[in-house]
Amino acid sequence: MRVKIVITIFYCLPILLSFIASRRSSILCRNANLKNIHIRTSLPSPYLPLIFSTYWFMSSKEKPTLGGTRIKTRKRNIAAPLDPAAFSDAVVLIYLDNAGDLELVAKTIESSDLNFSRYGDIFFEVVFIGGRTQTGSVKSDEGERHPYSIIDCEPNREAILPSVVYIQKILRRKPFLIKNLENVTRRFLQSLELFEESERKKLAIFTALAFSQKLSGLPAETVFQPLLKDNLVAKGIVLTFVTDFFNEYLVENSLDDLIAILRRGKMEDKLLDFLPPTKRTTECFSEHFTKAGLTALVEYNEKKIFEVKLKEIKEVLTSQVAEEINIDEVIETVKQQVKDAKLPEIEVVRVIWDGIMDAVQWSGKNQQQNSNSVLRQVKTWAPLLNTFCSNGKMEIELMYKVQMQCYEDAKLMKVFPEVVRSLYELDVLAEDTILHWYRKGSNPKGRQTFVKGLEPFVNWLEEAEEEE
């Protein structure tokens, strides 16, 4: 009985499903856009109801949507338009509102919300000349201007120093402005010819006071290198500027401090470059700065030039000695260099000894080989030494020079007596010179050691003198 019921349901179920499908066929066709397809629902096929029922269930499902998903849009960096004129006018107004009182100006600037990081150069333009500069110039542009700038001050220390102190305070509170100060200073120095003579003097005084007060953000190369423009140097503008700078700086600082600044600015050995090309001589340098009251600088420059000449002679001599050039040729070369450089005899003897010794090929820690190398060099170049050791004064100077080198160079400490004996045998040093050094020598460096080492040779000399 159960089997019959199951079989009946099996055969009736497709018919029932076919009937249901026929009712839904038109809807399914519309949903599926199958208007051109004719569907026969009267077919007793068991597959048709299955196909349509499956499609009905699939089509009844909701399509996926983007509900609940937030679509992010890309943000754009919208740059605020530049407005340097408004910034300049605002800073000028601060000066005017405080009647130029730099203490109050500094406090107001500290509490303001002006964009100094963006307009730092313009800020220092306002400080230096009282307003914003024209493009490609150092003259004020249109807009507000105040009369309390650096170039509006009197050209003296008392009037300009407060501005230096004021800038120092601003830089301590806003250190990011250091680069802007450097930029504006360099630009103004490169454009010195566009300033009036009195304005250039004020800038020179300000620069000197800035170094004297150790103002941040003003390295020496920022000052001196921009000055070396050919047109500024040729017109004498640079020479006048640095003269005012030197005079002002040396009021409270020493010459050594000034030389240190020049060294940092890479100008220590190039002081003549400040002079116009037609006057670039030692004589013109000395004449100009002597008249300006800078005799200490003149003496320093002469000493520096002297050292350069000595170095050049030493380098040439060392090269010739190392290459073993004919000694007569070397003597003539040295004579000509000494004549051109106008060197004193004492310095000539010193530099000749240095040149000869610098050409020695040392052999590390082997004391005997080093001694032999020195003695061989002395013997080879004794005629050169003899040419310039023409009197007792030069001979004693040579002994002091040998003493100093043997004292400063550990590998030569024990070779001093042998060198002196060799120079005596080669007629470079006289007996009286050696005895004078032994009895009354004034250089204390290593003297006790060298006197003790030379004692046997001196005793021999004294005995020979007594026998004669």
Side-chain angles (χ1 to χ4, degrees):
M1 185 65 180
R2 291 181 180 178
V3 175
K4 290 181 180 181
I5 293 172
V6 172
I7 292 173
T8 301
I9 292 173
F10 179 81
Y11 280 100
C12 291
L13 184 60
I15 297 172
L16 179 61
L17 293 175
S18 177
F19 175 79
I20 295 172
S22 65
R23 294 292 183 181
R24 296 288 297 173
S25 61
S26 60
I27 298 174
L28 294 174
C29 288
R30 285 195 298 271
N31 290 340
N33 294 324
L34 300 175
K35 295 180 180 179
N36 297 326
I37 300 175
H38 178 66
I39 301 175
R40 296 175 61 90
T41 58
S42 58
L43 294 174
S45 170
Y47 300 103
L48 186 61
L50 181 60
I51 292 173
F52 276 101
S53 62
T54 302
Y55 187 80
W56 181 77
F57 283 113
M58 290 181 64
S59 63
S60 64
K61 293 182 178 180
E62 294 183 358
K63 295 181 179 180
T65 63
L66 294 176
T69 302
R70 184 177 179 181
I71 300 175
K72 295 182 179 180
T73 58
R74 185 176 180 180
K75 295 182 178 179
R76 296 182 181 179
N77 293 325
I78 302 175
L82 293 172
D83 192 4
F87 176 86
S88 175
D89 291 345
V91 177
V92 169
L93 186 60
I94 293 176
Y95 273 86
L96 296 174
D97 289 345
N98 292 282
D101 187 327
L102 297 180
E103 287 283 345
L104 298 177
V105 171
K107 292 179 180 179
T108 306
I109 286 176
E110 182 182 4
S111 60
S112 71
D113 57 355
L114 295 175
N115 193 349
F116 287 90
S117 61
R118 193 171 195 178
Y119 301 109
D121 284 11
I122 294 175
F123 169 70
F124 284 110
E125 290 175 2
V126 174
V127 172
F128 276 96
I129 68 171
R132 187 165 62 100
T133 62
Q134 300 174 5
T135 303
S137 175
V138 296
K139 301 301 180 182
S140 296
D141 199 355
E142 295 180 358
E144 297 293 333
R145 192 180 184 281
H146 70 85
Y148 309 108
S149 66
I150 292 173
I151 64 171
D152 288 320
C153 295
E154 292 295 322
N156 57 61
R157 164 184 292 262
E158 292 72 20
I160 297 176
L161 183 58
S163 294
V164 178
V165 177
Y166 159 71
I167 292 176
Q168 186 72 286
K169 290 180 179 179
I170 295 295
L171 293 180
R172 287 172 181 168
R173 296 163 185 169
K174 301 181 185 296
F176 56 85
L177 290 175
I178 290 176
K179 190 65 178 177
N180 301 109
L181 173 60
E182 182 179 347
N183 294 339
V184 173
T185 302
R186 183 187 293 109
R187 179 153 53 87
F188 283 178
L189 293 178
Q190 289 176 334
S191 307
L192 279 178
E193 60 183 334
L194 302 179
F195 289 96
E196 300 293 335
E197 183 176 354
S198 61
E199 294 173 343
R200 290 197 291 266
K201 183 173 184 179
K202 294 169 188 176
L203 288 176
I205 295 174
F206 167 82
T207 308
L209 291 175
F211 280 109
S212 182
Q213 299 294 318
K214 296 179 173 56
L215 182 66
S216 303
L218 204 60
E221 57 270 20
T222 299
V223 173
F224 295 114
Q225 295 303 319
L227 292 175
L228 299 180
K229 291 180 65 176
D230 292 341
N231 61 322
L232 296 178
V233 175
K235 294 177 181 179
I237 294 175
V238 171
L239 181 58
T240 304
F241 181 90
V242 297
T243 302
D244 292 334
F245 173 88
F246 293 156
N247 271 318
E248 186 60 43
Y249 184 80
L250 290 174
V251 170
E252 292 185 348
N253 300 276
S254 67
L255 180 64
D256 291 339
D257 295 331
L258 177 59
I259 300 306
I261 293 176
L262 292 170
R263 186 180 298 115
R264 293 200 302 271
K266 301 178 181 179
M267 293 300 301
E268 180 187 12
D269 301 325
K270 302 177 181 179
L271 293 178
L272 292 182
D273 290 352
F274 291 135
L275 276 68
T278 56
K279 299 181 179 180
R280 199 166 290 171
T281 63
T282 305
E283 291 75 15
C284 289
F285 182 95
S286 299
E287 181 181 356
H288 173 81
F289 285 103
T290 299
K291 288 181 179 179
L294 296 169
T295 54
L297 183 64
V298 173
E299 293 173 358
Y300 167 81
N301 185 62
E302 292 175 349
K303 180 181 178 181
K304 202 67 184 177
I305 292 175
F306 177 75
E307 291 175 354
V308 170
K309 290 179 179 178
L310 280 181
K311 184 178 179 181
E312 291 175 353
I313 294 175
K314 178 181 173 182
E315 289 176 350
V316 172
L317 177 60
T318 301
S319 175
Q320 290 181 329
V321 171
E323 295 173 4
E324 299 182 353
I325 294 177
N326 182 274
I327 193 167
D328 293 330
E329 182 179 345
V330 174
I331 291 174
E332 290 302 318
T333 301
V334 174
K335 284 183 176 180
Q336 187 60 46
Q337 287 181 312
V338 170
K339 182 180 179 181
D340 294 341
K342 299 179 181 179
L343 298 180
E345 293 179 337
I346 291 178
E347 295 297 337
V348 175
V349 171
R350 293 171 182 170
V351 77
I352 289 175
W353 178 260
D354 285 337
I356 293 173
M357 290 297 105
D358 285 351
V360 174
Q361 299 294 324
W362 305 106
S363 59
K365 298 181 180 180
N366 192 313
Q367 184 66 35
Q368 187 59 44
Q369 288 185 13
N370 288 331
S371 299
N372 293 337
S373 296
V374 171
L375 295 175
R376 185 166 53 252
Q377 197 82 329
V378 169
K379 183 177 181 179
T380 302
W381 296 98
L384 175 62
L385 290 168
N386 201 14
T387 300
F388 293 93
C389 289
S390 54
N391 52 56
K393 184 178 180 181
M394 297 302 103
E395 291 177 14
I396 196 69
E397 191 61 39
L398 176 60
M399 281 204 69
Y400 284 138
K401 183 62 182 177
V402 175
Q403 175 187 350
M404 284 300 300
Q405 183 164 14
C406 292
Y407 172 77
E408 293 172 354
D409 194 338
K411 60 179 175 288
L412 298 179
M413 282 290 290
K414 296 181 180 180
V415 79
F416 176 80
E418 299 177 56
V419 171
V420 173
R421 186 183 186 100
S422 179
L423 290 172
Y424 170 77
E425 294 173 349
L426 294 168
D427 294 329
V428 177
L429 295 178
E431 177 182 339
D432 292 341
T433 301
I434 298 173
L435 293 176
H436 176 80
W437 179 92
Y438 181 81
R439 296 165 181 168
K440 301 180 181 179
S442 59
N443 194 326
K445 294 185 178 180
R447 176 171 173 78
Q448 292 183 351
T449 301
F450 296 142
V451 166
K452 185 176 181 180
L454 197 62
E455 185 175 2
F457 177 60
V458 170
N459 290 336
W460 179 82
L461 288 176
E462 290 175 339
E463 291 173 3
E465 184 179 7
E466 290 176 0
E467 292 177 0
E468 293 178 358

